[in-house]
Amino acid sequence: MATLLHAILGYFVLLLTIRLLTRRPGSQLTLFEFVLIFLMGGIIIASTMGNDRSVTNATCAVVMVALLHRATSYTRNRWPSMGRLIDGVPLVIYETGKWREEVLREMRIAPEDVLAAARTKGYRGLDEIDYAILERNGQISVLSKQKT
Amino acid sequence: MHSSKSVAEPVRDEIRRIDDVISVGEDLDFQRRWWRFEKLAWLILVIVLAADALGAFGRGWLAGAERHSADGSLDVRYERVERAGTPSVMTVEFAPSAIEGRTMRLFSSLNIVNELGAQRIIPQPETSAIGPRDITYEFAGTGSPAVASIQLQPSFPGIHHIELQVPGKPAIRADILVLP
């Protein structure tokens, strides 16, 4: 029972912490973020399992986390407002020649991140794009002038 | 029947425009509220960390407590906030008035064993007698002050009321909060 409660608490603590860390531009895991994931995961595992390292306990904890994940997925799809809370919303960073300074500042994104995203799509610079959007998964989408 | 477009041609999504502004599901009002919440949440997390460093959640300066019996026969040092599964030490000091002959007796509520998980007592008691809601230890003593250490490892979160006394003397009562 304690393991299941710890798993529930651990899941939501991790979910909140990761959500508070905000989206990283590019969404790819850097070494820096691997440290976070392994360390946080390890800490939660130790607390969830406690002194009971049996297969039964581990199986129950894994199933509980899977169930929570399923319930969270269902919740965010069923209620869009929950989806916004869990995943956030897309944010326009660059709009027809103008930077959205507020979004850049609050999301800790540098214009260079947007230019890097543009280059990965084959654009040479800002003069070829109309919009840059920070997606919910942390990727930056760029839309060329002719696309929109 | 068939679309005029080749299947090899990449699909081009159309982005809806409303009032000539791209519509991607952005909700800046929500996002601004989230940013305010984020700042508040980080402030709370920093306060929680500071409280933890000071021992508000156990194992620190704020958690340490000391109680004396009314007649001064017994002195107990313990942690008023404990953590489930985490070892700690409760120290019981007997004053000369608590020593009868060459023995000291300590009456303890049973929940120190059952709920606070008393693992070991140092020095090892010569005898221990279990009652319905209590346990009495007897130690051999040669002088004063005499100190016994009880190693705890609480199992259950909650508030636990404990009682310690030298039989026939005033008791020390305390509440210990065990965090999950």
Side-chain angles (χ1 to χ4, degrees):
Chain A
M1 183 63 185
T3 300
L4 300 184
L5 290 174
H6 286 188
I8 293 169
L9 197 66
Y11 181 82
F12 286 110
V13 165
L14 264 186
L15 193 67
L16 177 70
T17 311
I18 296 292
R19 179 75 171 92
L20 286 176
L21 284 171
T22 74
R23 284 166 275 178
R24 282 273 305 153
S27 84
Q28 286 182 336
L29 290 175
T30 61
L31 285 175
F32 175 67
E33 277 134 349
F34 265 119
V35 173
L36 272 184
I37 286 170
F38 282 116
L39 194 58
M40 285 182 181
I43 291 166
I44 292 288
I45 286 167
S47 148
T48 303
M49 296 297 289
N51 292 327
D52 185 350
R53 295 190 172 86
S54 62
V55 174
T56 309
N57 200 31
T59 307
C60 289
V62 166
V63 171
M64 187 72 219
V65 170
L67 207 73
L68 281 171
H69 198 65
R70 184 77 187 238
T72 308
S73 300
Y74 173 78
T75 306
R76 68 182 184 179
N77 288 333
R78 176 74 179 78
W79 292 283
S81 56
M82 288 303 294
R84 286 189 309 184
L85 265 181
I86 295 166
D87 289 327
V89 290
L91 291 166
V92 175
I93 310 165
Y94 179 80
E95 188 178 21
T96 55
K98 279 182 284 184
W99 290 104
R100 291 258 196 99
E101 298 289 346
E102 183 189 20
V103 177
L104 286 174
R105 187 180 62 250
E106 296 289 349
M107 300 306 291
R108 296 168 199 84
I109 294 171
E112 289 75 17
D113 294 322
V114 177
L115 290 168
R119 283 195 296 275
T120 59
K121 300 283 187 316
Y123 303 119
R124 288 168 192 274
L126 291 175
D127 53 335
E128 290 183 32
I129 63 172
D130 242 0
Y131 287 94
I133 299 148
L134 179 64
E135 301 291 358
R136 301 201 308 176
N137 62 7
Q139 282 187 331
I140 296 174
S141 303
V142 287
L143 302 175
S144 68
K145 283 182 174 165
Q146 62 270 28
K147 263 189 180 175
T148 61
Chain B
M1 290 287 281
H2 293 282
S3 164
S4 57
K5 288 183 178 178
S6 158
V7 288
E9 192 176 327
V11 176
R12 284 182 178 270
D13 290 333
E14 293 297 323
I15 309 288
R16 278 203 310 144
R17 281 170 173 273
I18 298 167
D19 295 334
D20 206 33
V21 175
I22 194 166
S23 172
V24 292
E26 188 186 40
D27 184 346
L28 261 183
D29 287 337
F30 166 81
Q31 190 59 41
R32 286 190 181 114
R33 283 199 302 277
W34 178 262
W35 284 329
R36 281 198 295 276
F37 166 75
E38 220 174 69
K39 288 184 176 81
L40 181 69
W42 280 116
L43 180 68
I44 291 169
L45 291 179
V46 169
I47 291 170
V48 165
L49 282 184
D52 182 52
L54 289 172
F57 308 125
R59 299 186 70 85
W61 175 66
L62 284 175
E66 187 169 0
R67 289 278 173 96
H68 313 277
S69 61
D71 66 341
S73 58
L74 207 59
D75 180 86
V76 179
R77 286 186 294 278
Y78 64 102
E79 288 192 26
R80 59 166 73 89
V81 184
E82 299 256 11
R83 299 171 185 180
T86 305
S88 69
V89 176
M90 177 185 282
T91 308
V92 181
E93 190 173 323
F94 298 89
S97 61
I99 303 172
E100 293 175 9
R102 295 175 68 85
T103 61
M104 288 163 288
R105 292 170 72 216
L106 177 69
F107 170 95
S108 147
S109 51
L110 200 57
N111 63 354
I112 289 185
V113 176
N114 292 345
E115 293 164 9
L116 294 176
Q119 306 276 312
R120 283 175 68 193
I121 299 180
I122 300 168
Q124 198 171 355
E126 290 204 320
T127 63
S128 54
I130 300 173
R133 293 170 63 187
D134 54 78
I135 184 161
T136 305
Y137 300 106
E138 193 171 302
F139 303 92
T142 53
S144 177
V147 176
S149 298
I150 306 173
Q151 293 186 356
L152 305 176
Q153 194 164 349
S155 311
F156 306 104
I159 296 173
H160 304 285
H161 310 281
I162 61 160
E163 196 175 322
L164 288 164
Q165 73 179 118
V166 173
K169 309 267 184 191
I172 293 176
R173 292 184 182 83
D175 290 334
I176 293 180
L177 169 66
V178 178
L179 297 175

